[in-house]
């Protein structure tokens, strides 16, 4: 940069020598002052951009693009270089600082680096307008900004810039002429909100959204006499109140979304009479919910979304004559759309506020209506299709039924979203006439009929189309050579498509393509890898019948690729290095994992499960752990050792290796996986002792060691708080011996008192964790794991001794299997406290004594097996015990009573049932219908899975049941202990 310093020196010498003659010679020169022209040319040489390319020496700089000159002096007074592609650092010797007469400077939306303001900025004494927003500056705001005392408008919207209280107070003190202050996204977490009290009284615009403000915002700001626009949204720790007394504010725009400022609707509607734009998304309301508009007669844009409001929608808001945008989405509003008075041209008393029906004037000026994510029912009213100004209509995620309404052919709609409702019937003809529509989403309804895709060719502005998850049948026959819309997002999942849509060859702007859950056969066309090579980011072809796919993909920016659940054969294809999510499970792929998989260093989820892949697992997958969150290699034929190195600081959350041929011990480096929640190494050949070193993993919830060669006693914990989050523990079908690990049981905090009660599932984004649990000969694959699901399976080992009473502390436990061991003693009375237990298997042990009556309190119990023991006495009666069959008790010659044919003597009366019949509906978080499943049917899924089936009605999506004979060990007891 030495040459730049020399040029600046020459410029200053030239400036000194020529200043005396400048005024006398100005009239004989170009209008632009030569000093300023020289400075601009030097700036052009340092910062090339599209805006300065036509700045040429010898031409009047006042004619240059982005340059404004004073009419009298010829000095440059305005420089607009916003969005010009400028890059680099603005040094203190930059020629820009010699433009001493600048009044307006716009450098916004560029790619500068370093501190946003050099000390030389203080020399711009005439500057009244400064915009540096979104220019990639970083660091603290330097104090020189406060030297610009003539500033009227200042925009420092810079996400990587910090501002502390001292610097902000200097700005407030010296910039007394400010009318507009925009600090959007500036980090102001260290600024005390009381500092805003000293802002200029002439301030008309204050933008402080997303500034990480904290503390109480001064209510006096709401009283400012000249303040018209106030933006405080998305400061989640900002608190405060509106003034309580009567007052009047000139505010026209107020945005408080995602703050904790207390909103009193009564005070707001009484005192903010001039409001045109009000945004209260996800706010803290006090007092009654919004109903009547009050004095908001000037309101044009109103956002009350995501506040949890219930009851009827306040349709009276539609009487606001100026209202153009209304957003009530993300609430719990119920009821139906109102009727309208089509003859009403003015607001009158047309409101019946009964619960049945409301009549409102037709809102003719409405341009945007967002009601998605509520509980609205009934049909969509026809008057919505005739609103002349409506551009955006979203009623997604409600419970609306009936047909989709017809729209006027000349409609102004640009975005239409009816998704996730109960709408049925055909797609109306008028939909295909909405020539201005850019986004159309009809997904997740019950729409039916054959749709000729050619009809969409009329919608030339359409870039987003989603018809997924209906009962439609899309046909691509007889497609003409029409010009097709340039789709950016095309989602046609579950549309009964039987052929690949070849019109996509011309879709070079495609970003997302979803053709999953269809009936497309054959190979994925080779030309697809040439489509949208620069733009495609997401491709989903899962759940089809594809048999082959190209081995090399040419998409440069692909992020998500799902080829799962097809019939793909051959070797594993490797996606581009840009891939973050790769799914190719449930196919017929063979061969070894190619070494090119090591190029996918950005992977977060890799799912190769349910194939026939073989060979070694590459060590590089352990090194991916800096980004890799899910590694699912279940049900393949991989052999050798598990990768021995998992890098420190990794984010691995799920490691699924079940159903392979892996050998050796578990690698101790798994201890570096501090985010690990699921570890499944079941059904391999791993030879090791119990890995008690895993007990310190703070997030581990699922531990599956089933069907390996683990051996020896489990012993006692090595840490004070072992397995604190563990909820599913399966050690079955191994060679463990010794006593049951009582010390571990009494520390399983997540099973003792689960804090999870909502119906949520383990997993992340695109991937749901799965687990296989065994219940009475059935292996049930839970495709989605409830966060409150808990189970212990120690079956088919060599455990000895008695079952401890401490098991009764595990009150969240839903399944317990100790079968096929050598346990002795009695069934602990504490089992009667396991109120959430849904299956209990103690079969094939050496248990003695009676079946205690306390067990009849377990009203969620649907499967019970104590067969092949030495139990005696009468079988308890009542509640769930009246549903269990003979095989639950067989092999206990001392038991009597129903359902066995052996009757009890007079001295062997059945143990009484504890509790009353009302216990059937006890508060265990489950629908009582689950219990009835146990009474009326002998189906195995009388557990949490049953709850899911009843709730969602989609059991095939949630569970897979495979009948398999329970494998029994053929080795002798002495071999188990070896």
């Amino acid at each position: 940069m030495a040459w730049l310093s020399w040029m600046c020196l020459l410029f200053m010498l030239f400036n000194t020598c020529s200043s005396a003659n400048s005024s006398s010679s100005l009239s004989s020169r170009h209008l632009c002052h030569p000093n300023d022209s020289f400075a601009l040319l030097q700036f052009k040489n340092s910062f090339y951009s599209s805006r300065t390319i036509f700045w040429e020496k010898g031409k009047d700089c006042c004619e240059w693009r982005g340059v404004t000159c004073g009419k009298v002096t010829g000095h440059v007074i305005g420089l607009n270089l916003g969005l010009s592609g400028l890059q680099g650092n603005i040094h203190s010797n930059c020629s820009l600082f010699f433009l001493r007469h600048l009044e307006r400077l716009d450098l916004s939306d560029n790619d500068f680096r370093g501190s946003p303001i050099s000390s030389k900025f203080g020399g711009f004494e005439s500057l009244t307008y400064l915009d540096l927003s979104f220019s990639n500056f970083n660091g603290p705001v330097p104090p020189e900004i406060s030297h610009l005392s003539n500033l009227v408008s200042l925009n420092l919207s810079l996400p990587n810039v910090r501002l502390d209280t001292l610097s902000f107070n200097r700005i407030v003190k010296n910039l007394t002429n400010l009318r507009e202050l925009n600090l959007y996204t500036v980090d102001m977490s260290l600024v005390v909100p009381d500092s805003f009290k000293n802002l200029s009284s002439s301030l008309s615009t204050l933008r402080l959204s997303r500034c990480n403000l904290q503390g109480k915002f001064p209510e006096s700001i709401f009283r400012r006499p000249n303040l018209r626009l106030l933006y405080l949204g998305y400061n989640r720790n900002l608190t405060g109140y509106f003034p309580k007394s009567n007052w009047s504010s000139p505010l026209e725009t107020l945005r408080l979304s995602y703050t904790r400022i207390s909103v009193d609707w009564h005070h707001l509607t009484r005192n903010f009479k001039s409001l045109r734009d009000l945004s209260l998304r996800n706010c803290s309301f006090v007092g009654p919910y919004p109903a009547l508009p009050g004095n908001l007669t000037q309101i044009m844009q109103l956002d009350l979304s995501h506040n949890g409001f219930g009851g009827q929608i306040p349709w009276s808001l539609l009487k606001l004559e100026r209202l153009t945008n209304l957003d009530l989405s993300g609430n719990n509003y119920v009821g139906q759309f109102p009727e309208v008075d089509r003859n009403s041209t003015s607001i009158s008393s047309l409101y019946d506020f009964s619960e049945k029906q409301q009549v409102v004037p037709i809102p003719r000026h409405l341009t945007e209506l967002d009601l998605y994510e509520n509980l609205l029912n009934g049909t969509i009213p026809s008057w919505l299709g005739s609103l002349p100004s409506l551009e955006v209509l979203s009623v997604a995620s409600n419970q609306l039924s009936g047909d989709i309404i017809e729209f006027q052919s000349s409609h102004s709609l640009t975005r239409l979203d009816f998704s996730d409702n109960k709408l049925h019937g055909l797609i109306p003809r008028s939909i295909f006439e909405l020539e201005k529509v850019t986004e159309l989403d009809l997904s997740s309804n019950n729409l039916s009929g054959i749709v000729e895709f050619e009809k969409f060719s009329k919608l030339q502005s359409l870039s987003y189309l989603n018809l997924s998850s209906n009962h439609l049948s899309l046909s691509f026959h007889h497609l003409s050579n029409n010009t097709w819309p340039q789709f950016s997002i095309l989602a046609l999942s579950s549309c009964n498509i039987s052929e690949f849509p070849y019109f996509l060859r011309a879709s070079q702007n495609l970003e997302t393509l979803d053709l999953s859950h269809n009936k497309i056969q054959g190979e994925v066309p080779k030309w697809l890898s040439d489509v949208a090579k620069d733009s495609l980011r997401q491709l989903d072809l899962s759940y089809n019948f594809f048999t082959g796919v190209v081995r090399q993909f040419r998409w440069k920016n692909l992020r998500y690729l799902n080829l799962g659940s097809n019939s793909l054969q051959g070797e594993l294809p490797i996606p581009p290095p840009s891939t973050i999510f790769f799914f190719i499970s449930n196919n017929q792929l063979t061969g070894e994992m190619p070494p090119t998989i090591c190029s996918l260093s950005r992977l977060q989820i890799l799912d190769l499960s349910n194939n026939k892949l073989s060979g070694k697992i590459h060590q590089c997958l352990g090194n991916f752990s800096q980004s890799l969150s899910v590694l699912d290699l279940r049900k393949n034929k991989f052999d050798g050792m598990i990768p021995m190195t998992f890098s420190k600081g990794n984010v691995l959350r799920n490691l699924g290796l079940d159903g392979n041929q892996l050998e050796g011990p578990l690698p101790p480096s798994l201890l570096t996986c501090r985010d690990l929640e699921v570890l499944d190494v079941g059904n391999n050949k791993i030879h090791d002792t119990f890995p008690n070193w895993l007990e310190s993993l703070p997030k581990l919830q699922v531990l599956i060691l089933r069907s390996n060669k683990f051996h020896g006693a489990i012993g006692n914990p090595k840490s004070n708080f072992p397995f604190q989050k563990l909820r599913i523990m399966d050690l079955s079908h191994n060679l463990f011996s010794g006593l049951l690990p009582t010390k571990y049981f009494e520390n399983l905090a997540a099973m003792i008192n689960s804090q999870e009660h909502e119906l949520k599932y383990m997993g992340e984004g695109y991937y749901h964790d799965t687990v296989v649990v065994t219940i009475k000969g059935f292996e049930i694959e839970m495709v989605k794991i409830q966060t409150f699901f808990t189970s212990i399976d120690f079956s088919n080992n060599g455990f000895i001794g008695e079952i401890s009473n401490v098991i009764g502390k595990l009150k969240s436990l839903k399944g317990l299997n100790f079968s096929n061991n050598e346990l002795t003693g009695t069934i602990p009375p504490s089992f009667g406290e396991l109120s959430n237990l849904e299956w209990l298997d103690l079969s094939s042990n050496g248990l003695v004594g009676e079946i205690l009556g306390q067990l009849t309190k377990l009203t969620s119990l649907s499967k019970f097996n104590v067969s092949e023991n030495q139990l005696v006495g009468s079988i308890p009666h009542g509640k769930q015990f009246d549903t269990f069959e003979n095989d639950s008790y067989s092999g206990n010659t001392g038991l009597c009573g129903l359902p066995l044919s052996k009757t009890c003597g007079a001295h062997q009366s059945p143990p009484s049932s504890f509790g009353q019949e009302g216990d059937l509906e006890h508060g265990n978080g489950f629908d009582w219908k689950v219990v009835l499943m146990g009474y009326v049917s002998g189906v195995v899924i009388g557990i949490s899975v049953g709850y899911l089936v009843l709730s969602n009605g989609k059991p095939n999506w949630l569970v897979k049941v495979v009948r398999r004979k329970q494998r029994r060990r053929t080795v002798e007891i002495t071999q188990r202990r070896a």
Side-chain angles (χ1 to χ4, degrees), residues 118-129:
S118 165
S119 59
K120 289 295 187 71
F121 265 85
F124 288 136
E125 297 179 354
S126 303
L127 203 63
T128 60
Y129 177 96

Side-chain angles (χ1 to χ4, degrees), residues 556-559 576-581 598-605 624 627-628:
K556 299 176 182 178
N557 296 298
L558 192 68
R559 301 291 186 269
S578 60
T579 307
I580 297 175
F581 309 102
C598 293
S599 65
L600 306 180
S601 58
R602 300 182 61 187
L603 276 178
Q604 293 181 18
I605 297 178
F624 283 177
S627 60
L628 193 64

